Amino acid sequence: MKTVFKEQIRKLLGLGLDRHHLSLAICLGVTIGAAPLVWGTSLLCILFAFVFRLNQVAVQCANYLAWPLQILFFYPYFSSGMKLAGNDESI
């Protein structure tokens, strides 16, 4: 049972290591990681990497490296959301 689990993990980690898939994994991780979602960037990255059959480790590393962008983008997203909602007061 343990060997089957280890083989599945090895297969997942080795998946998508060519240039195209690796660059797609990094782009996906940074794009999702920069979105100011406090709750679910890791879950979204896991889901999209599974759907597109990308390397989970590369996607999660890019997600965590993009975390400072997430903090940086809180103010622009909140202020544009307030403008869209009709509240023109600044934060």
Side-chain angles (χ1 to χ4, degrees), residues 20-82:
H20 175 71
H21 286 101
L22 196 57
S23 65
L24 185 62
I26 291 170
C27 290
L28 182 75
V30 169
T31 302
I32 294 174
L37 301 171
V38 178
W39 54 269
T41 57
S42 294
L43 295 174
L44 286 175
C45 282
I46 290 170
L47 176 74
F48 280 110
F50 180 74
V51 168
F52 293 122
R53 303 188 58 79
L54 299 172
N55 192 328
Q56 292 281 346
V57 175
V59 172
Q60 290 299 331
C61 286
N63 176 25
Y64 292 138
L65 288 174
W67 186 73
L69 289 174
Q70 185 182 51
I71 301 299
L72 186 68
F73 287 155
F74 270 122
Y75 181 76
Y77 280 125
F78 283 149
S79 62
S80 63
M82 287 174 57

